[in-house]
Amino acid sequence: MTPFTFERAASPAQAAAAAAATPGAKFIAGGTNLLDLMKLQIETPTHLIDVNGLALDTIEPTQEGGLRIGALVSNTELASDARVRRDYALLSRALLAGASGQLRNKATTAGNLLQRTRCPYFYDTNQACNKRSPGSGCSAIEGFTRQLAVIGASDACIATHPSDMAVALRALDAEVETIHADGSGRRIPIAEFHRLPGDTPHVETVLEPGELITAVILPKPVGGRHVYRKVRDRASYAFALVSVGAIVQEDGSGRVALGGVAHKPWRVEEAEIELPRGARPTTERLLANARPTRDNAFKVTLVERTLGSILKQARG
Amino acid sequence: MQGQSHHDLSRRDLLAAGAATLAGSSAGSPANAAPASPGAAPASEARNEPSSAPTPGPVRMPVHLTVNGTTRDLEVDTRTTLLDALREHLSLTGTKKGCDHGQCGACTVIVDGVRINSCLTLAVMHEGAEVTTIEGLGTPGHMHEMQAAFVKHDGYQCGYCTPGQICSAVAVLEEIKAGIPSHVTQDLVSAPPLSEDELRERMSGNICRCGAYSNIVAAITEVAGSPA
Amino acid sequence: MKFDTPATTNPIDHLKVVGHPHDRIDGPLKTTGTAPYAYERHDVVAEPAYGYVLGAAIAKGRIARLDTSAAERAPGVIAVVTADNAGKLGKGNFNTARLLGGPEVEHYHQAIALVVAESFEQARSASTLVKVDYKAEPGVFDLRAARGSASPPEETAISGPPDTSVGSFASAFTEAPVTLDETYTTPDHSHAMMEPHATLAAWEGDALTVWTSNQMIAWATGDLAATLGIDRSKVRVVSPYIGGGFGGKLFLRADVLLAALGAKAAGRPVKVALQRPLIPNNTTHRPATIQRIRIGAERDGTITAIGHESWSGDLPGGGPETAVGQTRLLYAGANRMTAMRLAVLNLPEGNAMRAPGEAPGLMALEIAMDEMAEKLGMDPVEFRVRNDTQVDPEHPQRPFSSRPFVECLRLGAERFGWSRRDPRPARVREGNWLVGMGMAAAFRNNLLMKSGARVRLAGDGSLTVETDMTDIGTGSYTIIAQTAAEMTGLPIEKIAVHLGDSDYPVSAGSGGQFGANNATSGVFAACAKLREEVARRLGFNSEEAEFAGGQVRVGNRSVPIGEAAGEGEIVAEDAIEYGDLDKTYQQSTFGAHFVEAAVDVATGEARIRRMLAVCAAGRIINPKSARSQVIGAMTMGAGAALMEELAVDTRRGFFVNHDLAGYEVPVHADIPHQEVIFLDETDPISSPMKAKGVGELGICGVGAAVANALYNATGVRVRDYPITLDKYLDRLPDVA
Ligand SMILES: Cc1cc2nc3c(=O)[nH]c(=O)nc-3n(C[C@H](O)[C@H](O)[C@H](O)COP(=O)(O)OP(=O)(O)OC[C@H]3O[C@@H](n4cnc5c(N)ncnc54)[C@H](O)[C@@H]3O)c2cc1C
Ligand code: SF4
Ligand code: FES
Ligand code: FES
């Protein structure tokens, strides 16, 4: 871990301005991903801007009937919020399926969205990795790929995005609210927030230098049955092999988003028209063009079976 | 090496100035190409490309903590985790380092009433915080009821995960009381029950390789009163 | 004390303290965080420097250039130790690869440098400035591919002969009406103990003290001296608390050597803990196996032919995983063979992990027995009962010292409700869950090893036991105190136990489930000597003297035991040494595992619902800590069945998932309530304690019991561990 200077940000705008102006600066929120990577010399910021003092830790109703979740709301607080449990159960469920109680107490909404891949070769600085060191190559392709992506990957990178929460947010059509160094803000639809790897797997989101996430906005509740199924080798404290987040309405229509299959939470809106017809046709469209490896081909079957089980549960 | 800053000179000034902004101090460093978002994290091939540039020295900062009821004033390298501050600076070695990466739970402590992994947080992020460690729960002569229950039910073997298990266990009972749901809570809308399944799920962030799980759950159950 | 005839009645038989479920005497320290582990010795060294280990980035080859100059110039750095400046180093008896690599690199993450700095943060930071150029060489990393090149390993006391044969296996197998010929695989496993290997080293002149985390003090002392090329008498190894070992801390490892070298280079004490992501590749692991099992039987279930072959790999000079050992002893059968073959692999060093040999061996054998029972249309319990033997099947004149194997099977079946199991697989469904039951035999040998202890009796009637025995979570402190209390008649509160110090008499150490029985027998021997001296000083006939309630009594005369010591103390030291009772008799421990498991019909997620182990392991010195040993081993075995695998990158030659997020071990949510029943038995042929090892029995067979339960639940037989859902998902019933 390279030495770094440390400041406690006073306001969102000041934090964004400081980040833009300070070379090598990064925000730190819960620190549960950033410090992990800094210890391994994968992230090497020379200046940390602690955003924990910013008053971004509340969940407020929006005028549109949704919720505005402050960027610093912890994963535990978010999952436990009565409104979220009632109206956005998918989000509660996804959060509670992630990490551990201790980590969720520290992990923040913004940090969770921005956590980086768990690709084991990304984590080992002896191994070439385009995401860690652009242009160096990808050691994972042809290597141990059981956990890695089956769709949307590129010849440069086949990593997955590990967040459970992001899968729920994708299904819920959330938006990410940010502030720039110049004080201006924007709202980024979650669908556009994370990027596919392409030739630049090190660029993971559309955030610009210094851009600070201030909140995540949930549109008004859509009702339906909310189910998040996370499938993993051990019963808890493990990343997903595959996760399926679904909202199923009385009439059989609904939404599905997947975790553990791609570089971003995976959702194909056009596939959802197949939902009333069942898991197989839906999965066929959701994962059309999937290019699994020998080690992770099972993920395609697993998605279909898991979705099948969810639809059955929702109907019953 | 990439990511190595060249703005040594300004470092201390920066701190002194309360670190509002620091403009243009290191144009040209490869790290500068990297914005602060993980969208374009600086590449690092640390092992194989050491820098010829001078290595910056540590940055030190004061931090004030209340640990087990006692005020502690420290001056630490900003890189010091809360875990290392406790273990190395305050000699409170009851809190264990099993992995240093959030993967085991041995370092669990209670900060401002909430259990966290002390290995994945910096000491300087906890200015003014109240920290409770295993030493703050009880002593060999006066054990906390959870500690006593662990002894009674043999909820440990090598003892290395144990302080983390106990801190977690104490916090878990509070979390259930506070109505925080878990992955296995069937009904999200009502209060979570105090069942063995709930305890197992909630304790899953504390790995015990000795495999004392069955006994740990027995110990916590006893402290909690009989499960609903 | 020489133990060469079976034990007769002795003071342990009073069972006033021994045999009771005493709380651990180290419990209050461990649960309050006051038991000091190696990296935490602020009490012995105030301000050590910190070492950070750099591991090799290639699996095999040479370091072409190693430039430490930038690291040396980094803030706070005191020294950088590499093979270039460490001086001439030897290699310990128990190491295969060198602990400090360079210029030759023998395996991935072999330590090649230690950066010593004023602070941990500085050492870690500077380690990234060490510049290394490698010349990688091709290596062999894939056991399956290397299987053909494997050869018979050298016979050693530990590994046994590479080939065994009794009768005529080949013809008996061909002629048998019912046969099975299947191949099973087990992957590489990591010990993943919670405390990383850690050492604090300090030199005083030419004398070295290391506070470390090690299971075998005498081995560590000898190997450290040998590696450094100094006299053994100059080395002191201290290891009172050990945060788990499971075989991973049987040997001197890089933390000890590097701390010692670092302290020398820095001119002050240095402490080193192996960073977690380094541990799986830097240290030892349980090697993967390929096992072929052939069983031939009569239609009534009598085994006529049993053959077990195993292939494993290790670095040049390493040894095999002895996965066939139990098959020589567990079941009857007139015609039998075993074979081990060892391939040279350039993966990290393979070595002992909890129940080496039996753990992976029974994972295979006990699935094979389940498959065979099904072919025979027999109940798996009855099939095993049918093939029980009371003698060593290879040497029928050699009986087992005690073998209540059938009792374990029967009692387990009864307690578990085995009769409720539907023998037809995939028949029981509860909602979305397919439910099944499985069982397997547990078997592990009882090893006898010389073990010494010293006891000191003070005038106030307090007793101190000193032995280099270690407590790795096994409960050694407590059972040693119980033994000493029973032998001297003192209350257990009067007994202080000091362990894990090379200044103390050499014990058996902790490993191979030989610790408890041998170490307490060593304490028994020392206490027996003490009793004689006490009796002599008090003018009693030691044969008649009774030691109870803190008093020594003959007839009406009763004297507080402390009086024998007067102002000073009485010191008695002895060791237990064994004759050939383990040659005349086969000494083993037995058990039966029963498991109920459920599989989600859609996703294939497997969950264990119930576990029961019935164990026969001689006298159980402390049922509370012994039970913990068994449930812990069952938990590790459940991990081996369901999730544990070091994933090999066969191109680059390393274990890819080298941390605790990647290498998954069971968490709370994976483990249900576990039941353990100990048969009430004593084995006077084993030792004066009449006890046997129990610490590893619990892992033996349990993985197969889980596997068999999963098969019973799903009807899909998986022969490659771990049994993860990707291996059977497509064969589960359709859910769409
Ligand atoms: C062992 C382990 C297991 C885990 N298991 C799971 C799991 O099963 N499922 C899962 O989803 N997650 C899992 N996690 C990941 C965990 O959820 C993330 O580490 C956490 O959500 C990150 O949040 P944080 O606040 O700690 O982020 P930080 O570490 O503080 O930050 C992460 C990144 O976000 C940036 N950042 C933070 N806040 C802002 C902001 N407001 N604006 C712009 N940038 C910002 C930081 O600069 C950094 O780059 C696991 C983590 C560990 C260590
Ligand atoms: S898959 Fe992506 S993250 Fe993994 S090694 Fe390849 S480039 Fe790096
Ligand atoms: S040391 Fe913090 S989680 Fe392992
Ligand atoms: S008691 Fe050893 S790891 Fe839990």
Side-chain angles (χ1 to χ4, degrees):
Chain A
M1 193 187 290
T2 310
F4 54 83
T5 46
F6 181 88
E7 72 171 292
R8 301 186 181 100
S11 73
Q14 181 262 323
T22 317
K26 277 191 98 67
F27 302 118
I28 186 161
T32 60
N33 189 235
L34 184 58
L35 287 169
D36 179 20
L37 297 172
M38 285 169 67
K39 288 177 182 192
L40 296 168
Q41 203 73 1
I42 295 165
E43 297 272 17
T44 52
T46 50
H47 181 65
L48 283 187
I49 301 168
D50 181 353
V51 296
N52 285 290
L54 304 183
L56 299 172
D57 56 354
T58 56
I59 307 174
E60 318 270 352
T62 64
Q63 280 177 349
E64 295 77 34
L67 290 178
R68 182 176 181 280
I69 303 159
L72 289 167
V73 171
S74 77
N75 288 179
T76 300
E77 286 160 346
L78 183 54
S80 314
D81 184 89
R83 294 159 293 184
V84 175
R85 284 153 80 175
R86 190 187 59 219
D87 299 332
Y88 306 94
L90 185 64
L91 180 55
S92 266
R93 288 290 184 202
L95 284 161
L96 295 171
S100 67
Q102 294 94 310
L103 287 161
R104 292 192 297 270
N105 283 341
K106 208 87 192 60
T108 64
T109 307
N112 191 315
L113 274 178
L114 293 174
Q115 63 175 294
R116 306 196 68 191
T117 184
R118 306 301 293 205
C119 169
Y121 296 90
F122 169 76
Y123 262 81
D124 186 334
T125 50
N126 292 326
Q127 306 301 321
C129 168
N130 287 322
K131 186 183 278 298
R132 184 169 18 83
S133 187
S136 64
C138 168
S139 332
I141 296 173
E142 311 271 295
F144 173 60
T145 57
R146 183 167 182 263
Q147 299 277 353
L148 303 181
V150 296
I151 194 160
S154 69
D155 291 341
C157 177
I158 58 169
T160 53
H161 194 269
S163 169
D164 289 294
M165 181 191 81
V167 176
L169 293 182
R170 181 70 180 87
L172 290 165
D173 282 331
E175 290 180 303
V176 181
E177 180 196 279
T178 66
I179 186 168
H180 282 104
D182 63 6
S184 66
R186 61 166 169 161
R187 279 190 182 194
I188 307 163
I190 185 77
E192 291 157 28
F193 184 78
H194 293 104
R195 300 171 35 126
L196 288 178
D199 295 336
T200 52
H202 60 293
V203 185
E204 290 163 357
T205 69
V206 298
L207 289 181
E208 286 162 17
E211 192 170 359
L212 176 82
I213 298 178
T214 48
V216 166
I217 315 284
L218 295 179
K220 73 176 199 306
V222 295
R225 284 197 63 162
H226 290 216
V227 185
Y228 188 78
R229 283 293 294 275
K230 179 178 184 181
V231 185
R232 39 192 165 173
D233 291 324
R234 70 179 176 195
S236 190
Y237 201 17
F239 290 94
L241 293 168
V242 150
S243 67
V244 181
I247 300 174
V248 186
Q249 304 293 349
E250 294 269 323
D251 63 3
S253 69
R255 306 171 177 194
V256 199
L258 307 178
V261 298
H263 201 253
K264 57 191 279 185
W266 193 253
R267 181 174 173 200
V268 178
E269 276 83 346
E270 303 82 69
E272 290 164 5
I273 45 176
E274 304 285 354
L275 273 174
R277 296 182 43 223
R280 181 153 303 159
T282 312
T283 308
E284 270 165 17
R285 288 189 69 175
L286 250 175
L287 295 181
N289 305 321
R291 276 199 342 197
T293 65
R294 201 195 52 202
D295 287 352
N296 68 20
F298 74 94
K299 287 190 175 186
V300 176
T301 319
L302 186 54
V303 166
E304 184 187 313
R305 296 185 69 97
T306 308
L307 181 58
S309 164
I310 291 177
L311 294 180
K312 205 169 140 217
Q313 186 185 337
R315 272 185 246 118
Chain B
M1 191 183 68
Q2 298 189 342
Q4 202 84 64
S5 93
H6 300 193
H7 52 182
D8 262 286
L9 287 175
S10 333
R11 181 160 277 120
R12 270 151 220 290
D13 310 0
L14 176 83
L15 271 175
T21 52
L22 175 73
S25 64
S26 59
S29 152
N32 299 337
S37 80
S44 76
E45 196 55 284
R47 286 287 131 81
N48 299 318
E49 298 160 35
S51 159
S52 49
T55 317
V59 181
R60 301 186 70 82
M61 267 183 85
V63 60
H64 310 276
L65 303 170
T66 304
V67 184
N68 302 328
T70 309
T71 320
R72 311 296 292 253
D73 301 330
L74 288 169
E75 205 197 64
V76 294
D77 187 322
T78 50
R79 294 171 292 184
T80 310
T81 59
L82 178 59
L83 174 61
D84 287 334
L86 293 169
R87 282 170 63 83
E88 306 303 328
H89 296 256
L90 298 175
S91 296
L92 288 168
T93 54
T95 309
K96 304 303 181 197
K97 185 187 279 191
C99 68
D100 217 11
H101 288 277
Q103 303 166 355
C104 76
C107 64
T108 305
V109 297
I110 302 171
V111 176
D112 296 330
V114 168
R115 62 177 169 144
I116 65 167
N117 303 99
S118 60
C119 69
L120 285 188
T121 194
L122 297 170
V124 293
M125 290 164 68
H126 293 280
E127 176 61 33
E130 295 218 9
V131 182
T132 303
T133 70
I134 189 73
E135 292 94 343
L137 290 179
T139 59
H142 294 276
M143 285 189 277
H144 184 279
E145 59 174 337
M146 192 65 79
Q147 292 167 324
F150 268 62
V151 173
K152 177 174 164 196
H153 291 276
D154 216 35
Y156 60 95
Q157 291 175 39
C158 76
Y160 201 76
C161 74
T162 312
Q165 300 276 359
I166 292 172
C167 286
S168 243
V170 168
V172 157
L173 295 185
E174 292 302 317
E175 287 169 14
I176 295 177
K177 251 187 231 152
I180 294 171
S182 87
H183 174 59
V184 299
T185 309
Q186 295 288 324
D187 173 9
L188 264 191
V189 182
S190 9
L194 180 65
S195 65
E196 291 192 350
D197 276 350
E198 284 282 354
L199 294 178
R200 287 191 188 106
E201 162 60 24
R202 290 166 191 270
M203 290 298 295
S204 285
N206 291 85
I207 293 177
C208 176
R209 185 55 160 167
C210 293
Y213 297 133
S214 188
N215 291 351
I216 293 171
V217 170
I220 304 174
T221 303
E222 176 172 301
V223 173
S226 51
Chain C
M1 175 182 285
K2 185 93 178 168
F3 185 78
D4 48 13
T5 53
T8 52
T9 304
N10 67 42
I12 296 296
D13 293 321
H14 293 145
L15 298 182
K16 291 211 176 76
V17 196
V18 166
H20 294 266
H22 206 283
D23 289 349
R24 289 173 199 246
I25 61 173
D26 47 339
L29 294 180
K30 283 180 173 172
T31 56
T32 57
T34 41
Y37 296 80
Y39 203 77
E40 305 170 351
R41 300 306 300 261
H42 296 285
D43 58 328
V44 292
V45 170
E47 300 222 318
Y50 293 78
Y52 198 87
V53 181
L54 186 66
I58 59 166
K60 185 173 190 302
R62 293 180 74 76
I63 295 172
R65 198 172 66 99
L66 183 67
D67 179 358
T68 57
S69 54
E72 277 159 22
R73 285 197 308 273
V77 171
I78 305 165
V80 181
V81 176
T82 68
D84 289 341
N85 62 18
K88 190 171 155 1
L89 295 176
K91 197 170 81 178
N93 283 330
F94 296 94
N95 293 134
T96 305
R98 285 163 313 130
L99 298 176
L100 176 60
E104 195 196 344
V105 172
E106 294 164 283
H107 63 85
Y108 195 73
H109 276 173
Q110 183 174 28
I112 56 167
L114 179 82
V115 178
V116 180
E118 294 291 341
S119 75
F120 174 70
E121 293 77 18
Q122 290 171 324
R124 178 176 57 197
S125 178
S127 74
T128 67
L129 301 176
V130 176
K131 172 154 175 68
V132 192
D133 294 335
Y134 297 96
K135 246 181 96 62
E137 290 163 19
V140 183
F141 307 123
D142 186 350
L143 178 61
R144 274 170 216 267
R147 179 175 169 177
S149 72
S151 59
E154 202 182 303
E155 175 168 353
T156 67
I158 303 165
S159 70
D163 293 277
T164 66
S165 167
V166 173
S168 169
F169 173 79
S171 55
F173 182 70
T174 321
E175 285 157 23
V178 183
T179 58
L180 168 121
D181 180 353
E182 291 291 354
T183 298
Y184 307 84
T185 63
T186 63
D188 299 284
H189 287 152
S190 190
H191 307 85
M193 72 297 280
M194 295 313 298
E195 182 205 21
H197 303 70
T199 300
L200 165 62
W203 292 86
E204 241 178 274
D206 60 353
L208 171 67
T209 302
V210 293
W211 292 267
T212 187
S213 185
N214 189 287
Q215 302 174 223
M216 301 291 291
I217 301 302
W219 294 2
T221 312
D223 272 7
L224 182 54
T227 309
L228 291 171
I230 61 177
D231 198 86
R232 189 186 173 120
S233 64
K234 297 287 182 196
V235 176
R236 178 168 170 226
V237 175
V238 188
S239 188
Y241 293 97
I242 296 147
F246 314 114
K249 293 175 182 168
L250 282 170
F251 317 113
L252 184 77
R253 296 302 316 167
D255 58 305
V256 194
L257 177 66
L258 292 176
L261 293 172
K264 194 184 233 173
R268 65 188 256 206
V270 168
K271 63 179 178 177
V272 177
L274 296 185
Q275 305 95 255
R276 179 60 66 178
L278 218 52
I279 292 179
N281 286 287
N282 175 276
T283 68
T284 60
H285 65 278
R286 187 203 299 286
T289 64
I290 300 171
Q291 302 179 47
R292 181 188 185 197
I293 295 179
R294 285 174 289 172
I295 304 175
E298 302 290 353
R299 294 203 189 281
D300 70 356
T302 306
I303 293 175
T304 53
I306 185 162
H308 194 160
E309 296 156 83
S310 172
W311 290 260
S312 61
D314 202 357
L315 286 167
E321 179 67 24
T322 56
V324 303
Q326 73 288 322
T327 309
R328 298 173 59 194
L329 291 163
L330 185 49
Y331 297 114
N335 304 285
R336 32 205 322 130
M337 63 83 61
T338 67
M340 287 186 287
R341 293 294 178 269
L342 178 63
V344 170
L345 290 183
N346 303 103
L347 289 172
E349 181 169 334
N351 217 316
M353 176 167 149
R354 202 169 198 172
E358 277 95 336
L362 284 164
M363 284 167 78
L365 178 63
E366 289 298 289
I367 295 187
M369 289 295 286
D370 200 61
E371 296 199 61
M372 194 64 190
E374 190 179 32
K375 285 189 181 222
L376 288 159
M378 270 181 97
D379 181 88
V381 172
E382 291 309 319
F383 178 46
R384 288 170 173 87
V385 170
R386 175 73 45 89
N387 290 289
D388 185 39
T389 171
Q390 291 296 315
V391 296
D392 172 352
E394 290 181 2
H395 308 98
Q397 73 287 2
R398 191 168 166 255
F400 282 90
S401 61
S402 113
R403 180 171 160 131
F405 177 47
V406 171
E407 287 87 325
C408 293
L409 291 166
R410 294 240 189 267
L411 182 63
E414 182 203 317
R415 291 294 179 86
F416 197 70
W418 182 251
S419 59
R420 292 200 301 274
R421 168 181 178 266
D422 190 330
R424 298 162 306 170
R427 288 302 176 113
V428 182
R429 179 108 181 225
E430 289 175 19
N432 289 328
W433 296 99
L434 303 167
V435 183
M437 289 190 209
M439 58 81 53
F443 173 90
R444 176 88 173 128
N445 284 333
N446 180 52
L447 301 177
L448 302 181
M449 301 214 351
K450 179 178 175 184
S451 193
R454 183 159 60 219
V455 289
R456 300 172 180 279
L457 176 69
D460 62 357
S462 66
L463 185 89
T464 304
V465 186
E466 296 172 343
T467 161
D468 86 352
M469 180 59 193
T470 49
D471 189 329
I472 61 174
T474 37
S476 308
Y477 278 106
T478 311
I479 58 173
I480 284 173
Q482 287 175 280
T483 302
E486 196 77 67
M487 288 298 288
T488 56
L490 285 165
I492 196 165
E493 296 72 33
K494 285 282 194 185
I495 315 283
V497 180
H498 294 176
L499 300 182
D501 190 326
S502 58
D503 281 353
Y504 302 150
V506 175
S507 72
S510 300
Q513 78 169 16
F514 52 64
N517 182 43
N518 294 296
T520 53
S521 295
V523 174
F524 177 99
C527 288
K529 211 174 210 178
L530 177 79
R531 285 166 62 112
E532 288 193 7
E533 180 61 15
V534 167
R536 193 187 63 75
R537 292 207 192 175
L538 296 178
F540 287 133
N541 175 342
S542 74
E543 300 279 290
E544 291 166 24
E546 225 181 280
F547 290 67
Q551 305 277 320
V552 190
R553 179 182 306 114
V554 174
N556 291 336
R557 186 171 159 236
S558 173
V559 185
I561 186 170
E563 269 183 28
E567 297 290 284
E569 60 173 6
I570 303 181
V571 182
E573 181 173 336
D574 201 359
I576 191 82
E577 287 180 80
Y578 298 93
D580 53 10
L581 284 174
D582 57 345
K583 309 222 166 35
T584 336
Y585 295 90
Q586 174 57 37
Q587 301 190 14
S588 306
T589 60
F590 300 88
H593 287 288
F594 292 82
V595 169
E596 182 180 303
V599 173
D600 186 295
V601 67
T603 63
E605 292 157 289
R607 297 288 178 262
I608 298 176
R609 293 181 159 192
R610 291 196 293 140
M611 300 181 94
L612 165 70
V614 182
C615 301
R619 170 174 283 150
I620 301 301
I621 303 169
N622 182 331
K624 187 176 259 190
S625 55
R627 175 178 178 280
S628 287
Q629 285 293 289
V630 177
I631 66 168
M634 288 158 76
T635 300
M636 197 176 272
L642 294 178
M643 64 190 81
E644 291 185 36
E645 171 171 22
L646 285 167
V648 182
D649 185 317
T650 54
R651 305 161 307 164
R652 290 155 204 260
F654 73 110
F655 300 129
V656 183
N657 49 342
H658 52 68
D659 60 21
L660 287 175
Y663 185 81
E664 291 182 7
V665 301
V667 296
H668 273 277
D670 292 297
I671 302 300
H673 178 71
Q674 296 164 317
E675 297 265 0
V676 180
I677 300 170
F678 292 110
L679 289 196
D680 190 7
E681 69 154 356
T682 53
D683 189 341
I685 294 167
S686 164
S687 75
M689 299 300 293
K690 304 176 188 172
K692 291 194 278 204
V694 72
E696 299 185 336
L697 184 61
I699 195 175
C700 296
V702 68
V706 174
N708 295 338
L710 295 179
Y711 171 73
N712 184 242
T714 63
V716 185
R717 183 65 79 178
V718 179
R719 300 187 182 87
D720 298 302
Y721 289 99
I723 305 175
T724 46
L725 57 90
D726 46 311
K727 294 176 183 158
Y728 55 81
L729 191 63
D730 54 357
R731 290 179 279 167
L732 292 180
D734 209 11
V735 282

